[in-house]
Every structure is written in C-alpha cells, then in structure tokens.
Amino acid sequence: MPGRWQNSLLYALLITTTGCAGYMGGWKSIAFVGDTPPPTAPDMEHASKPSTLHLPGLRLDIALDNTLRTHDTQVVLFALPVSVDPREVYTKNNQPGKTRLFLTVTPSDTGFVFRPSQAVFLIGEQRLNGIVGYEFGMWDAAGRRVHQGGTWQHRPVGDAFALAQAGRPYLLSINFDIAAPSPETAGLAVDLSGALSSPHHPPLPRIRFAPVRWKAGYT
C-alpha cells in the first residue's frame, strides 16, 4: 500500500512540475539578391531571424512582418497532445491591413539617406510605395534620442533621414498600405534603390523574397 501511494504521489508531482511544452511552425520570407534563392535547411529557420545582406556601402538585416504560423501544438508528459491550433496566424504582423518592412542598416560611411516613401514593395505586378518610415530607439518626453531614462518606441523619421554615423546600426522600418501577403506568394520583392541611397555607392539591387519553412519549440 505505501508503495502505491508513493507511485501516485510521484506521478502527480511529475505532471505538475513538467508543465506544457510544444512546437509551432509555418512559413516566413527570406531575402536574397539575384535570381536564385540561397539554399536553406527546411524546418530549421526560426520565425524571428532576419536575413542578412552585404550590399554596396552597407550591411542590411531585413525582414517582412508576414511570418505565417500554420500549426501550433502543445504537449505534456509523454508527448500527449493537449492543444492543437491549425489556424493560420501572422504572428509578427504589426498592424492589421499593413505590411511592415524591418531594416537594420549599418552604413560603412556617412553618405546614406533614408527616404521611406521611395521604397517600392512589389507583389507580382503590383507596386506600392512606402507610406511612412520609422526609427526604433529610446526617446525622452521631448522626443530626443537618449541612452537611458526614456521609452522604447518606433518614431516617424519624416521624408528624409540622414544616416550620419558610419558603423552604427540604424533600426528602421517602413509601412506599406496593404495587408501582409503570404510568404508563399510569388513575386515578392522590394526596391530600396531610392529609399537608401548614397552619392558614394551604386544604387542598391532589387531584393527578392522566397518562402522557407520555420519551426520552433517552447516550454
């Protein structure tokens, strides 16, 4: 009898301390330059990881907020499923009805200027210009950029924003007036030749997007 009670107590303890684990996955867009997408390992790309491109005069970390989750499964002890969510959800979409392009720009010199309205988002034959651009940073109550004591926010940059510090990563983004397209949509691309320009470097090439699977676990 004592052994049966001990086993029951151990089982209950395992259930309460193990908690839920699980996994989720879907599709995301990866950026590339040229005609051929880079090789990828299926189901190994995490949803929040941007693409890194080395372009004339700058390093560019780039991501669309169209990451699509197509499955979400929660499990407990012995991997028994307790919750399965098959809905398709845009997990990173910032604003319903809009698509945001995130850009971490690290210029090699001080000549680049960010003009968000000159960015062109291409979805097949459709072309859309950026409607507003932002810089992410910490700001005080007067709207000045600070290193401490402020609030982290995306703040509009206006029509033109000089990237005046070489080697500094600028956390920028651009909104386009269209709902986030599926990563599997053919012909996704962005033209930043007018949006990130410098008199010291040739125009940036067209950046294309290809679909890739992602998978992530959680506890």
Side-chain angles (χ1 to χ4, degrees):
M1 183 66 70
R4 182 177 298 176
W5 278 105
Q6 289 172 353
N7 289 339
S8 298
L9 182 61
L10 178 60
Y11 182 77
L13 182 63
L14 285 172
I15 289 291
T16 56
T17 58
T18 301
C20 289
Y23 53 90
M24 64 186 78
W27 293 91
K28 61 173 283 187
S29 291
I30 59 166
F32 67 98
V33 172
D35 297 324
T36 305
T40 57
D43 296 323
M44 296 302 292
E45 292 287 341
H46 192 274
S48 62
K49 184 180 179 182
S51 306
T52 299
L53 303 175
H54 296 276
L55 302 175
L58 56 80
R59 166 181 162 146
L60 183 65
D61 297 307
I62 179 171
L64 280 170
D65 69 347
N66 68 332
T67 297
L68 185 63
R69 190 192 72 204
T70 59
H71 61 275
D72 184 0
T73 302
Q74 297 182 28
V75 298
V76 290
L77 192 65
F78 306 126
L80 296 174
V82 296
S83 174
V84 178
D85 186 351
R87 294 176 302 167
E88 293 191 347
V89 178
Y90 288 98
T91 60
K92 302 294 180 181
N93 190 240
N94 218 326
Q95 184 179 351
K98 301 288 190 294
T99 300
R100 182 169 288 191
L101 179 71
F102 290 92
L103 308 167
T104 299
V105 183
T106 307
S108 61
D109 56 53
T110 60
F112 279 94
V113 178
F114 178 47
R115 297 182 177 88
S117 66
Q118 299 301 309
V120 181
F121 186 34
L122 300 102
I123 307 175
E125 298 299 319
Q126 191 173 11
R127 298 170 59 90
L128 300 106
N129 283 87
I131 55 174
V132 63
Y134 301 92
E135 181 188 14
F136 183 72
M138 182 179 286
W139 315 91
D140 66 12
R144 294 170 299 200
R145 199 171 188 278
V146 295
H147 296 290
Q148 58 183 5
T151 303
W152 290 100
Q153 293 179 349
H154 292 274
R155 294 183 67 89
V157 298
D159 294 333
F161 175 53
L163 310 187
Q165 292 179 249
R168 173 193 150 188
Y170 288 85
L171 308 181
L172 308 174
S173 58
I174 306 170
N175 265 12
F176 296 92
D177 193 15
I178 192 169
S182 167
E184 297 183 87
T185 303
L188 292 183
V190 65
D191 183 351
L192 298 177
S193 59
L196 284 170
S197 59
S198 168
H200 311 304
H201 299 283
L204 299 184
R206 178 171 295 187
I207 298 168
R208 293 179 168 86
F209 294 94
V212 65
R213 288 189 180 274
W214 65 270
K215 184 177 181 180
Y218 62 91
T219 56

